[in-house]
Amino acid sequence: MKKYFLFLLFPLLFISCNDKNEAEAAIAGIDVGEVKIVRFDDVFYNSKPEDLPKLKQAYPFFFPQNYPDSVWVSNMNDPFMRQLKEETDKVYPNMDALQDEMHSLFQHMKYYFPEVNVPEVFTIISDDENQRAVYSPEVVAIPINLYLGKDNKLYDGLPSYQVQTFEPNQIVPDVVSSFAPGYIAAPKDRTFLSIITYFGKELYLKDLLIPNATDAAKMGYTEEQEAWAEENESEIWRYFVENKVLFDTNAKLADRFVNPAPFSKFYLELDNESPGRLGVWIGWQIVRSYMENNKDVTLQQLLETDAKTIFDNSKYKPKK
């Protein structure tokens, strides 16, 4: 029976891989023009206070009108901000690699969302450690000092679970996270299933838009955390089912299994071994299973479909 099953499986795998190869070949031929990353951090910190009027005219989106010029002058001369800039220049002497990644991302966006315009891309310096890369139809702003690598001295004192997402490989996944809400339908209710399915759709978008990224990078996990999730998938799922959390609307479930955290909160001995956001990871697997078992569903249909329909038709069953 096993041999017969494998005999049936191989053609399906071949068809799936062939479809992906055809899509990638088409994507590679999409013209998005030259993607150039503007180092606004260079422009700003190489300027003088008297240059402000010119800067504000050229880059109005970086100068909210409710802030007086004194704020920007102070920023230019702030020793800590200068240190952030100096450290950033060491890690990113040029933007060549990132430009290639952004070019590929925009090609994938245009393939799946033809109406998308290619925005301008800027790097900035930010003193807000919660500020991630931001996508808008006109501008992508990347706070480049937040992607210097988790071991950078500038991050001393910050929580390790947060700092592990300060790796260069998190820039493009963060851009997709900012892009996704404009295309994913909001949850229709407050159930745990709806919340994790919403984020599962976001991660599935990453599967399509940044196919060369690792699953760990898409989640903001280390490779070890991703391996832990994969190895314990059936146990995580059993916990959710046995404790009837899928259709629960308790807001505390988001803090336990959805929001960034050092670990997930099962209230078991294994908690300290687990990565945070395991509910999101399970939502991703449900969405993947749904798309694998419903080949006629388009990406746009997926993004509009409610969580219960996805779950009921996903045939999701963790590997033991």
Side-chain angles (χ1 to χ4, degrees):
M1 177 63 76
K2 242 181 220 181
K3 288 182 181 177
Y4 181 65
F5 174 74
L6 290 174
F7 178 74
L8 290 174
L9 181 61
F10 284 144
L12 292 175
L13 289 173
F14 177 78
I15 291 169
S16 177
C17 290
N18 195 45
D19 288 345
K20 288 180 181 177
N21 291 338
E22 287 182 6
E24 287 301 313
I27 290 166
I30 294 176
D31 181 12
V32 293
E34 181 184 9
V35 176
K36 185 178 180 180
I37 297 177
V38 178
R39 294 295 299 263
F40 179 74
D41 53 317
D42 282 350
V43 174
F44 185 80
Y45 286 101
N46 289 330
S47 297
K48 299 175 182 178
E50 53 265 34
D51 298 324
L52 266 177
K54 190 192 309 179
L55 290 179
K56 291 168 73 174
Q57 184 176 10
Y59 308 99
F61 33 81
F62 289 130
F63 296 95
Q65 293 183 358
N66 55 319
Y67 287 93
D69 286 357
S70 58
V71 170
W72 313 120
V73 173
S74 175
N75 209 326
M76 283 180 178
N77 298 316
D78 186 278
F80 178 66
M81 299 301 287
R82 288 279 178 183
Q83 185 183 16
L84 292 179
K85 172 60 179 160
E86 289 173 10
E87 197 65 25
T88 295
D89 288 344
K90 293 177 187 176
V91 178
Y92 294 98
N94 62 68
M95 290 284 118
D96 295 350
L98 183 56
Q99 280 183 178
D100 290 342
E101 290 181 52
M102 293 301 297
H103 185 273
S104 175
L105 171 62
F106 291 148
Q107 286 180 310
H108 284 77
M109 283 182 175
K110 290 290 283 185
Y111 179 81
Y112 291 105
F113 305 96
E115 74 282 3
V116 165
N117 293 317
V118 177
E120 292 185 271
V121 184
F122 297 85
T123 57
I124 62 173
I125 299 294
S126 173
D127 61 352
D128 180 0
E129 64 268 15
N130 295 309
Q131 174 72 63
R132 311 300 292 177
V134 175
Y135 171 92
S136 77
E138 294 80 29
V139 171
V140 170
I142 300 169
I144 198 68
N145 59 292
L146 291 182
Y147 301 96
L148 304 180
K150 66 179 185 296
D151 296 324
N152 193 283
K153 63 183 180 182
L154 292 179
Y155 305 146
D156 289 349
L158 294 176
S160 58
Y161 75 89
Q162 182 181 21
V163 170
Q164 76 181 37
T165 67
F166 290 4
E167 292 288 336
N169 69 0
Q170 287 297 291
I171 295 176
V172 181
D174 281 348
V175 173
V176 178
S177 290
S178 182
F179 168 82
Y183 292 88
I184 302 175
K188 292 186 175 180
D189 55 50
R190 297 181 180 180
T191 63
F192 183 65
L193 178 64
S194 287
I195 294 171
I196 66 174
T197 302
Y198 176 88
F199 287 107
K201 291 177 182 180
E202 177 188 304
L203 284 155
Y204 188 77
L205 264 184
K206 293 182 182 182
D207 286 338
L208 299 182
L209 299 181
I210 46 174
N212 293 327
T214 65
D215 282 1
K218 294 169 192 171
M219 274 293 300
Y221 279 176
T222 64
E223 294 295 338
E224 292 75 17
Q225 288 174 325
E226 174 64 26
W228 193 97
E230 292 175 7
E231 291 168 7
N232 292 276
E233 181 178 1
S234 61
E235 294 303 315
I236 300 166
W237 182 243
R238 182 180 297 115
Y239 178 91
F240 288 165
V241 172
E242 290 180 353
N243 287 274
K244 301 178 180 178
V245 302
L246 291 180
F247 299 99
D248 197 330
T249 58
N250 189 332
K252 291 182 179 179
L253 289 169
D255 286 332
R256 294 172 61 190
F257 301 112
V258 175
N259 300 334
F263 51 81
S264 294
K265 300 176 182 67
F266 297 94
Y267 305 135
L268 300 171
E269 289 185 8
L270 57 75
D271 280 11
N272 287 333
E273 303 172 13
S274 71
R277 306 184 74 224
L278 281 173
V280 172
W281 192 88
I282 289 292
W284 187 16
Q285 310 317 310
I286 292 172
V287 172
R288 279 176 163 177
S289 183
Y290 174 74
M291 292 303 282
E292 287 169 6
N293 288 292
N294 296 273
K295 301 291 187 183
D296 58 331
V297 174
T298 67
L299 174 61
Q300 284 67 26
Q301 288 170 333
L302 165 71
L303 300 181
E304 292 292 332
T305 302
D306 66 275
K308 190 172 186 307
T309 299
I310 289 174
F311 176 64
D312 289 345
N313 294 278
S314 68
K315 301 179 183 177
Y316 173 64
K317 189 175 182 182
K319 295 170 284 189
K320 294 184 178 180

